[in-house]
PDB file of all heavy atoms in Angstrom:
ATOM      1  N   LEU Y  95     -21.961 -18.020  77.564  1.00 90.00           N
ATOM      2  CA  LEU Y  95     -21.363 -18.451  76.382  1.00 90.00           C
ATOM      3  C   LEU Y  95     -19.895 -18.984  76.555  1.00 90.00           C
ATOM      4  O   LEU Y  95     -19.115 -18.312  77.245  1.00 90.00           O
ATOM      5  CB  LEU Y  95     -21.314 -17.397  75.299  1.00 90.00           C
ATOM      6  CG  LEU Y  95     -22.692 -16.908  74.895  1.00 90.00           C
ATOM      7  CD1 LEU Y  95     -22.579 -15.690  73.914  1.00 90.00           C
ATOM      8  CD2 LEU Y  95     -23.467 -18.045  74.062  1.00 90.00           C
ATOM      9  N   ILE Y  96     -19.548 -20.035  75.903  1.00 91.00           N
ATOM     10  CA  ILE Y  96     -18.173 -20.504  75.797  1.00 91.00           C
ATOM     11  C   ILE Y  96     -17.908 -20.691  74.360  1.00 91.00           C
ATOM     12  O   ILE Y  96     -18.645 -21.424  73.591  1.00 91.00           O
ATOM     13  CB  ILE Y  96     -17.999 -21.882  76.554  1.00 91.00           C
ATOM     14  CG1 ILE Y  96     -18.228 -21.708  77.979  1.00 91.00           C
ATOM     15  CG2 ILE Y  96     -16.572 -22.427  76.268  1.00 91.00           C
ATOM     16  CD1 ILE Y  96     -18.069 -22.965  78.802  1.00 91.00           C
ATOM     17  N   PRO Y  97     -16.900 -20.029  73.789  1.00 94.00           N
ATOM     18  CA  PRO Y  97     -16.609 -20.103  72.277  1.00 94.00           C
ATOM     19  C   PRO Y  97     -16.511 -21.701  71.912  1.00 94.00           C
ATOM     20  O   PRO Y  97     -15.771 -22.433  72.706  1.00 94.00           O
ATOM     21  CB  PRO Y  97     -15.246 -19.429  72.175  1.00 94.00           C
ATOM     22  CG  PRO Y  97     -15.236 -18.406  73.310  1.00 94.00           C
ATOM     23  CD  PRO Y  97     -15.912 -19.177  74.419  1.00 94.00           C
ATOM     24  N   GLY Y  98     -17.023 -21.976  70.808  1.00 95.00           N
ATOM     25  CA  GLY Y  98     -16.900 -23.309  70.338  1.00 95.00           C
ATOM     26  C   GLY Y  98     -17.985 -24.417  70.919  1.00 95.00           C
ATOM     27  O   GLY Y  98     -17.914 -25.412  70.443  1.00 95.00           O
ATOM     28  N   ARG Y  99     -18.868 -23.867  71.674  1.00 95.00           N
ATOM     29  CA  ARG Y  99     -19.864 -24.738  72.275  1.00 95.00           C
ATOM     30  C   ARG Y  99     -21.247 -24.047  72.345  1.00 95.00           C
ATOM     31  O   ARG Y  99     -21.306 -22.882  72.642  1.00 95.00           O
ATOM     32  CB  ARG Y  99     -19.574 -25.095  73.793  1.00 95.00           C
ATOM     33  CG  ARG Y  99     -18.357 -25.876  73.962  1.00 95.00           C
ATOM     34  CD  ARG Y  99     -18.000 -26.021  75.459  1.00 95.00           C
ATOM     35  NE  ARG Y  99     -16.798 -26.647  75.558  1.00 95.00           N
ATOM     36  CZ  ARG Y  99     -16.342 -27.381  76.643  1.00 95.00           C
ATOM     37  NH1 ARG Y  99     -17.213 -27.563  77.621  1.00 95.00           N
ATOM     38  NH2 ARG Y  99     -15.186 -28.002  76.663  1.00 95.00           N
ATOM     39  N   GLU Y 100     -22.206 -24.849  72.086  1.00 96.00           N
ATOM     40  CA  GLU Y 100     -23.521 -24.440  72.323  1.00 96.00           C
ATOM     41  C   GLU Y 100     -24.048 -25.286  73.495  1.00 96.00           C
ATOM     42  O   GLU Y 100     -23.879 -26.400  73.496  1.00 96.00           O
ATOM     43  CB  GLU Y 100     -24.524 -24.562  71.081  1.00 96.00           C
ATOM     44  CG  GLU Y 100     -25.836 -24.019  71.334  1.00 96.00           C
ATOM     45  CD  GLU Y 100     -26.764 -24.036  70.103  1.00 96.00           C
ATOM     46  OE1 GLU Y 100     -26.161 -24.175  68.980  1.00 96.00           O
ATOM     47  OE2 GLU Y 100     -27.995 -23.839  70.299  1.00 96.00           O
ATOM     48  N   ARG Y 101     -24.685 -24.603  74.547  1.00 95.00           N
ATOM     49  CA  ARG Y 101     -25.073 -25.378  75.712  1.00 95.00           C
ATOM     50  C   ARG Y 101     -26.040 -24.770  76.526  1.00 95.00           C
ATOM     51  O   ARG Y 101     -26.425 -23.530  76.313  1.00 95.00           O
ATOM     52  CB  ARG Y 101     -23.782 -25.604  76.593  1.00 95.00           C
ATOM     53  CG  ARG Y 101     -23.379 -24.255  77.177  1.00 95.00           C
ATOM     54  CD  ARG Y 101     -21.981 -24.369  77.922  1.00 95.00           C
ATOM     55  NE  ARG Y 101     -21.664 -23.203  78.629  1.00 95.00           N
ATOM     56  CZ  ARG Y 101     -21.309 -23.164  79.942  1.00 95.00           C
ATOM     57  NH1 ARG Y 101     -21.169 -24.213  80.546  1.00 95.00           N
ATOM     58  NH2 ARG Y 101     -21.087 -22.094  80.549  1.00 95.00           N
ATOM     59  N   PHE Y 102     -26.741 -25.566  77.366  1.00 95.00           N
ATOM     60  CA  PHE Y 102     -27.701 -25.112  78.266  1.00 95.00           C
ATOM     61  C   PHE Y 102     -27.779 -26.118  79.490  1.00 95.00           C
ATOM     62  O   PHE Y 102     -27.166 -27.264  79.279  1.00 95.00           O
ATOM     63  CB  PHE Y 102     -29.095 -24.975  77.694  1.00 95.00           C
ATOM     64  CG  PHE Y 102     -29.744 -26.318  77.178  1.00 95.00           C
ATOM     65  CD1 PHE Y 102     -30.467 -27.067  78.016  1.00 95.00           C
ATOM     66  CD2 PHE Y 102     -29.614 -26.656  75.909  1.00 95.00           C
ATOM     67  CE1 PHE Y 102     -31.025 -28.222  77.631  1.00 95.00           C
ATOM     68  CE2 PHE Y 102     -30.159 -27.776  75.401  1.00 95.00           C
ATOM     69  CZ  PHE Y 102     -30.899 -28.605  76.228  1.00 95.00           C
ATOM     70  N   SER Y 103     -28.310 -25.877  80.484  1.00 95.00           N
ATOM     71  CA  SER Y 103     -28.584 -26.675  81.641  1.00 95.00           C
ATOM     72  C   SER Y 103     -30.091 -27.024  81.830  1.00 95.00           C
ATOM     73  O   SER Y 103     -30.801 -26.075  81.513  1.00 95.00           O
ATOM     74  CB  SER Y 103     -27.844 -26.319  82.908  1.00 95.00           C
ATOM     75  OG  SER Y 103     -26.575 -26.173  82.834  1.00 95.00           O
ATOM     76  N   PHE Y 104     -30.313 -28.090  82.462  1.00 94.00           N
ATOM     77  CA  PHE Y 104     -31.802 -28.279  82.901  1.00 94.00           C
ATOM     78  C   PHE Y 104     -31.725 -28.836  84.357  1.00 94.00           C
ATOM     79  O   PHE Y 104     -30.733 -29.321  84.719  1.00 94.00           O
ATOM     80  CB  PHE Y 104     -32.481 -29.177  81.973  1.00 94.00           C
ATOM     81  CG  PHE Y 104     -32.109 -30.550  81.839  1.00 94.00           C
ATOM     82  CD1 PHE Y 104     -32.717 -31.591  82.669  1.00 94.00           C
ATOM     83  CD2 PHE Y 104     -31.166 -31.008  80.854  1.00 94.00           C
ATOM     84  CE1 PHE Y 104     -32.247 -32.943  82.582  1.00 94.00           C
ATOM     85  CE2 PHE Y 104     -30.769 -32.263  80.819  1.00 94.00           C
ATOM     86  CZ  PHE Y 104     -31.377 -33.228  81.624  1.00 94.00           C
ATOM     87  N   ILE Y 105     -32.799 -28.694  84.997  1.00 92.00           N
ATOM     88  CA  ILE Y 105     -33.013 -29.252  86.279  1.00 92.00           C
ATOM     89  C   ILE Y 105     -33.928 -30.476  86.272  1.00 92.00           C
ATOM     90  O   ILE Y 105     -35.013 -30.340  85.761  1.00 92.00           O
ATOM     91  CB  ILE Y 105     -33.558 -28.209  87.257  1.00 92.00           C
ATOM     92  CG1 ILE Y 105     -32.714 -26.896  87.330  1.00 92.00           C
ATOM     93  CG2 ILE Y 105     -33.713 -28.802  88.731  1.00 92.00           C
ATOM     94  CD1 ILE Y 105     -31.272 -27.044  87.750  1.00 92.00           C
ATOM     95  N   ASP Y 106     -33.428 -31.585  86.706  1.00 91.00           N
ATOM     96  CA  ASP Y 106     -34.323 -32.861  86.778  1.00 91.00           C
ATOM     97  C   ASP Y 106     -35.310 -32.657  87.860  1.00 91.00           C
ATOM     98  O   ASP Y 106     -35.240 -31.609  88.753  1.00 91.00           O
ATOM     99  CB  ASP Y 106     -33.548 -34.165  86.799  1.00 91.00           C
ATOM    100  CG  ASP Y 106     -32.987 -34.387  88.137  1.00 91.00           C
ATOM    101  OD1 ASP Y 106     -33.147 -33.647  89.084  1.00 91.00           O
ATOM    102  OD2 ASP Y 106     -32.252 -35.450  88.299  1.00 91.00           O
ATOM    103  N   PRO Y 107     -36.438 -33.451  87.877  1.00 90.00           N
ATOM    104  CA  PRO Y 107     -37.347 -33.273  88.985  1.00 90.00           C
ATOM    105  C   PRO Y 107     -36.911 -33.525  90.343  1.00 90.00           C
ATOM    106  O   PRO Y 107     -37.706 -33.237  91.364  1.00 90.00           O
ATOM    107  CB  PRO Y 107     -38.417 -34.389  88.727  1.00 90.00           C
ATOM    108  CG  PRO Y 107     -38.175 -34.647  87.084  1.00 90.00           C
ATOM    109  CD  PRO Y 107     -36.747 -34.499  87.030  1.00 90.00           C
ATOM    110  N   PHE Y 108     -35.659 -33.796  90.587  1.00 89.00           N
ATOM    111  CA  PHE Y 108     -35.011 -34.090  91.897  1.00 89.00           C
ATOM    112  C   PHE Y 108     -34.016 -33.014  92.311  1.00 89.00           C
ATOM    113  O   PHE Y 108     -33.359 -33.195  93.396  1.00 89.00           O
ATOM    114  CB  PHE Y 108     -34.501 -35.449  91.814  1.00 89.00           C
ATOM    115  CG  PHE Y 108     -35.381 -36.479  91.198  1.00 89.00           C
ATOM    116  CD1 PHE Y 108     -35.018 -36.755  89.738  1.00 89.00           C
ATOM    117  CD2 PHE Y 108     -36.577 -36.918  91.767  1.00 89.00           C
ATOM    118  CE1 PHE Y 108     -35.996 -37.565  89.186  1.00 89.00           C
ATOM    119  CE2 PHE Y 108     -37.332 -37.671  90.980  1.00 89.00           C
ATOM    120  CZ  PHE Y 108     -37.084 -38.026  89.681  1.00 89.00           C
ATOM    121  N   GLY Y 109     -33.778 -31.922  91.476  1.00 89.00           N
ATOM    122  CA  GLY Y 109     -32.987 -30.879  91.850  1.00 89.00           C
ATOM    123  C   GLY Y 109     -31.643 -31.018  91.258  1.00 89.00           C
ATOM    124  O   GLY Y 109     -30.792 -30.095  91.547  1.00 89.00           O
ATOM    125  N   ASN Y 110     -31.328 -32.039  90.502  1.00 89.00           N
ATOM    126  CA  ASN Y 110     -30.024 -32.193  89.862  1.00 89.00           C
ATOM    127  C   ASN Y 110     -29.859 -31.204  88.661  1.00 89.00           C
ATOM    128  O   ASN Y 110     -30.698 -31.315  87.760  1.00 89.00           O
ATOM    129  CB  ASN Y 110     -29.778 -33.701  89.458  1.00 89.00           C
ATOM    130  CG  ASN Y 110     -29.666 -34.531  90.554  1.00 89.00           C
ATOM    131  OD1 ASN Y 110     -28.813 -34.468  91.428  1.00 89.00           O
ATOM    132  ND2 ASN Y 110     -30.677 -35.384  90.771  1.00 89.00           N
ATOM    133  N   ARG Y 111     -28.800 -30.551  88.606  1.00 91.00           N
ATOM    134  CA  ARG Y 111     -28.418 -29.715  87.454  1.00 91.00           C
ATOM    135  C   ARG Y 111     -27.733 -30.542  86.359  1.00 91.00           C
ATOM    136  O   ARG Y 111     -26.697 -31.116  86.809  1.00 91.00           O
ATOM    137  CB  ARG Y 111     -27.642 -28.408  87.785  1.00 91.00           C
ATOM    138  CG  ARG Y 111     -27.298 -27.575  86.718  1.00 91.00           C
ATOM    139  CD  ARG Y 111     -26.654 -26.277  87.244  1.00 91.00           C
ATOM    140  NE  ARG Y 111     -25.858 -25.692  86.187  1.00 91.00           N
ATOM    141  CZ  ARG Y 111     -24.655 -25.290  86.266  1.00 91.00           C
ATOM    142  NH1 ARG Y 111     -23.871 -25.652  87.316  1.00 91.00           N
ATOM    143  NH2 ARG Y 111     -24.083 -24.708  85.210  1.00 91.00           N
TER     144      ARG Y 111
END
Side-chain angles (χ1 to χ4, degrees):
L95 293 175
I96 296 178
R99 299 177 183 205
E100 186 172 342
R101 67 191 190 128
F102 66 86
S103 292
F104 67 91
I105 305 297
D106 76 4
F108 319 98
N110 294 295
R111 180 175 160 234

